[in-house]
Amino acid sequence: MENSQNTRHTIFEEEAFQRLLKEIEQNNGTAMLIGGAVIDNINGLEVKDIDIEVYGLSYVQLVELIEGLDMNCNLVGKSFGVIKTVIANFEIDMSIPRRENKVGIGHKGFTVELDAKMTPKEAGKRRDLTINSMYLNLHTGELVDPYNGLADLEKGILRATNEHTFIEDPLRVLRIMQLLPRKGKLVAKETLEICKKMVEFFSELQAERIFVEWEKLLLKAERPSIGLEFLKASGWLKHFPELQNLVGCPQNPIWHPEGDVWVHTCMVIDNAAKLRDLVPEDWRLTYMFGALLHDIGKPSTTTPELTANGHDVAGIPLAETFMKRITNNKSLIERVSTIVGLHMRAGQLFNSKAKESAWKRLHNKCRLDILGWQSKADSAGRTGRNVMLDKHGASEKCFELFKEFGKKEIQRVILGRDLIALGLKPSEKFGVILDDCYKKQLDGASREEILLNLKNASLK
């Protein structure tokens, strides 16, 4: 195990942070690093999300101590005993140990009792998994591990810290979904059984909380399919029917030797994750959701002959429905639905040796580079080839033309002012004329050619 000295790079070596620790200690308090930061430290990774639980001090004392050091003191989490502060551009969450008792539905249905006299073992009981119930004493470097989280971490086991507190928040099942491929190898049998018993608690969750867990799975996991398989094993896949319907949906073995649509989707999403960092950052989440949902139109379009013609178009409203249940981000919903509807188009154009004008029209609907990455992941999800080494023709064509076309929709070279310069008077026909000019432009006509044709037509 790595000791605390390995954490003392960046924030931990900052003078302001050391002054904070010293002040806490001089006031008979103890600062404990908690949560994922402890795991990252043990694994020798950079510690990014810094959560500190302070024992021996009341909430008021901790606030006064932080303010006395002239540090930023944001009390946004006052009801949970949480204080946010910033040191060297690192945001730090500091809190007082607390007890939580469920009295209602949802994540707000808890009563919270702050208790500075609690022990880490008492406070850790409310935490979700044993690996998240470890503490690192920031004064001594000692690992405090009341629930044997280190042993579970080393074996890759995700295990509920306490069955009774685990079931109080159904979001913890979705946390396992995204943590399993990132921090573990398997879910303890008894914990999986608990998750199965919690299936009907899903309705207590708010959309924005569900979305965050999907976001973490798609943007952080190397193999998101492991999280998908957990949803299936736990019975929670039923809450995402667009995905559940993929299980057992057959495919033509000539084109899809890998198996049913579920197996294919799992392969595609893992390939997409391998390519994820090559996709522009502001498109990554869209791209990953697109890979997840690209074939959800197949169950409704697959025939006894194992064709699924039109599944791309059929998937558009299903993708919209899926996304709307977890987010109200209209731009994201539209982009994801667009990818689903167009995910086959690049391959079709490439195989038919389509003219450049067809590629321009496709680019105007969705950036060709994004469709290229999508097509690349999809193809490797059929062949099993190494997606990083596979030279996929349709994708390469997308990347080549994207460099030529640019990031945005291809701009019109003929505008209304050009029509006026030719002596045409503004009218409701302008729109029709401009659209016709744009069509000619996409078909390869130059600005000069289009203007000449307009001039000749106006002289007739």
Side-chain angles (χ1 to χ4, degrees), residues 237-299:
L237 194 61
K238 67 177 286 187
H239 299 299
F240 307 97
E242 299 84 0
L243 297 178
Q244 186 178 45
N245 291 339
L246 304 182
V247 179
C249 181
Q251 301 184 107
N252 189 322
I254 295 176
W255 298 104
H256 287 278
E258 73 279 8
D260 65 17
V261 186
W262 172 259
V263 172
H264 171 66
T265 298
C266 286
M267 292 176 68
V268 171
I269 198 67
D270 285 350
N271 284 318
K274 292 177 181 177
L275 300 170
R276 185 173 55 209
D277 288 348
L278 300 174
V279 176
E281 186 173 1
D282 59 335
W283 274 88
R284 282 178 197 163
L285 187 58
T286 300
Y287 165 69
M288 292 302 294
F289 269 119
L292 174 70
L293 303 175
H294 78 286
D295 270 353
I296 56 175
K298 280 188 175 178

Side-chain angles (χ1 to χ4, degrees), residues 157-445:
I157 299 175
L158 299 191
R159 189 191 313 276
T161 302
N162 180 282
E163 176 180 352
H164 301 293
T165 56
F166 186 91
I167 64 174
E168 289 181 341
D169 187 359
L171 187 73
R172 288 171 169 173
V173 178
L174 296 184
R175 279 182 55 76
I176 290 179
M177 171 192 75
Q178 56 92 358
L179 282 173
L180 181 59
R182 297 172 51 217
K183 310 280 186 179
K185 297 177 181 177
L186 59 94
V187 179
K189 291 182 180 179
E190 63 272 20
T191 301
L192 181 60
E193 291 305 311
I194 295 172
C195 294
K196 290 179 180 179
K197 295 176 183 177
M198 296 170 65
V199 168
E200 301 310 320
F201 297 167
F202 179 81
S203 59
E204 296 182 17
L205 298 177
Q206 293 182 326
E208 56 266 29
R209 299 185 78 206
I210 298 171
F211 178 81
V212 168
E213 303 308 318
W214 275 107
E215 184 177 31
K216 289 179 180 179
L217 174 71
L218 296 179
L219 293 184
K220 294 185 176 184
E222 291 185 8
R223 292 187 59 199
S225 67
I226 294 174
L228 298 184
E229 291 289 1
F230 165 74
L231 287 182
K232 179 182 172 185
S234 65
W236 276 60
L237 194 61
K238 67 177 286 187
H239 299 299
F240 307 97
E242 299 84 0
L243 297 178
Q244 186 178 45
N245 291 339
L246 304 182
V247 179
C249 181
Q251 301 184 107
N252 189 322
I254 295 176
W255 298 104
H256 287 278
E258 73 279 8
D260 65 17
V261 186
W262 172 259
V263 172
H264 171 66
T265 298
C266 286
M267 292 176 68
V268 171
I269 198 67
D270 285 350
N271 284 318
K274 292 177 181 177
L275 300 170
R276 185 173 55 209
D277 288 348
L278 300 174
V279 176
E281 186 173 1
D282 59 335
W283 274 88
R284 282 178 197 163
L285 187 58
T286 300
Y287 165 69
M288 292 302 294
F289 269 119
L292 174 70
L293 303 175
H294 78 286
D295 270 353
I296 56 175
K298 280 188 175 178
S300 64
T301 57
T302 298
T303 68
E305 295 75 31
L306 299 185
T307 64
N309 296 328
H311 75 271
D312 45 355
V313 176
I316 296 174
L318 296 175
E320 290 177 348
T321 299
F322 179 97
M323 295 301 297
K324 285 179 179 178
R325 286 204 308 272
I326 60 175
T327 182
N328 58 7
N329 185 328
K330 294 182 180 179
S331 176
L332 178 62
I333 295 170
E334 182 180 356
R335 282 181 167 187
V336 171
S337 302
T338 297
I339 288 179
V340 170
L342 296 175
H343 77 272
M344 296 180 63
R345 195 67 183 129
Q348 292 168 342
L349 294 183
F350 180 78
N351 292 332
S352 65
K353 295 180 172 56
K355 295 181 179 179
E356 189 171 289
S357 59
W359 289 97
K360 288 179 179 178
R361 289 182 172 85
L362 179 59
H363 177 67
N364 280 352
K365 295 176 181 177
C366 183
R367 282 176 46 158
L368 281 185
D369 61 330
I370 304 303
L371 292 178
W373 294 120
Q374 170 61 47
S375 186
K376 192 175 180 69
D378 193 2
S379 174
R382 292 186 298 105
T383 64
R385 293 195 297 264
N386 186 322
V387 73
M388 301 300 290
L389 301 177
D390 186 23
K391 294 294 184 181
H392 183 241
S395 300
E396 296 302 319
K397 186 68 173 180
C398 284
F399 302 146
E400 173 192 332
L401 291 176
F402 176 72
K403 291 180 180 179
E404 179 183 335
F405 298 160
K407 296 180 180 180
K408 298 180 179 180
E409 179 178 325
I410 296 171
Q411 299 298 305
R412 294 172 181 260
V413 296
I414 303 298
L415 303 174
R417 61 174 175 265
D418 297 306
L419 303 186
I420 294 173
L422 288 173
L424 299 177
K425 295 182 179 180
S427 69
E428 57 186 26
K429 294 182 179 180
F430 259 39
V432 176
I433 297 173
L434 289 172
D435 287 344
D436 183 62
C437 291
Y438 191 47
K439 179 178 180 299
K440 289 183 173 63
Q441 174 190 336
L442 295 179
D443 285 337

Side-chain angles (χ1 to χ4, degrees), residues 121-137:
K121 184 174 183 178
E122 291 176 298
K125 183 179 177 181
R126 69 175 173 80
R127 303 188 69 81
D128 53 4
L129 303 170
T130 58
I131 63 170
N132 285 328
S133 298
M134 295 185 289
Y135 300 76
L136 185 66
N137 187 314

